[in-house]
Amino acid sequence: MGWLWWVAGALVLGVAEMLSLSLFLLMLAGGALAAAIADALGAPPAVQFVIAPVVALVLMVGLRPWLLRHLRERVPLPETNANALVGREAVVVATVTEGGGRVKLNGEVWSARAAEGRTYAPGAEVTVERIDGATAVVSDAAPTAPSATGDTRGVTS
């Protein structure tokens, strides 16, 4: 009857895995299921408590990297945190040079510096090339349509 506790633990870990999607808790659930099988076959509790972590470790080392690689190939994982800001448009709030400046990015004011030795005046639209620490490195905004007036959008050389 002790195998039921192992199965219950595996189910709890399986539900928690559905929330985290890290495939870590799934490997622990596999260890718990292995211990449940060992208990059902009559193994003493000491053996069960050795089987669970050993099987979980084998699954983490052997199966988890393969599963993660195939998961990422099928489902592109969304960028988060600073990586999600790369490629976004920002509006210059205070003149941006190679030495520094300020931009409004994703509703927040960020410190920024210009790439390529450019200078951007307040109101200019720029694109975030990368995030360097807490500073957005910006360059010319991607053109949306050719301008008939030759507007440089606040960019000076």
Side-chain angles (χ1 to χ4, degrees):
M1 198 66 143
W3 63 271
L4 281 175
W5 288 105
W6 287 110
V7 171
L11 287 174
V12 168
L13 289 166
V15 169
E17 176 61 42
M18 285 188 265
L19 299 174
S20 73
L21 296 176
S22 66
L23 299 181
F24 176 77
L25 297 175
L26 187 62
M27 303 304 121
L28 294 179
L33 287 177
I37 292 170
D39 185 41
L41 294 174
V47 172
Q48 295 169 36
F49 280 102
V50 169
I51 287 176
V54 168
V55 169
L57 182 65
V58 168
L59 290 174
M60 272 186 240
V61 171
L63 184 60
R64 185 173 181 262
W66 181 81
L67 287 173
L68 282 174
R69 185 173 54 252
H70 288 284
L71 177 66
R72 288 186 180 121
E73 286 174 3
R74 290 179 160 209
V75 180
L77 300 176
E79 294 291 344
T80 58
N81 302 328
N83 291 336
L85 300 174
V86 174
R88 287 203 180 207
E89 298 276 324
V91 177
V92 176
V93 177
T95 303
V96 176
T97 65
E98 280 187 274
R102 308 285 278 173
V103 295
K104 187 160 192 168
L105 172 61
N106 203 27
E108 298 176 342
V109 176
W110 279 69
S111 62
R113 73 172 182 268
E116 306 161 5
R118 306 285 299 244
T119 300
Y120 299 97
E125 293 180 6
V126 293
T127 301
V128 177
E129 279 189 7
R130 68 182 185 278
I131 302 294
D132 187 14
T135 302
V137 179
V138 298
S139 63
D140 293 336
T144 54
S147 174
T149 63
D151 179 22
T152 58
R153 295 200 254 187
V155 177
T156 60
S157 292

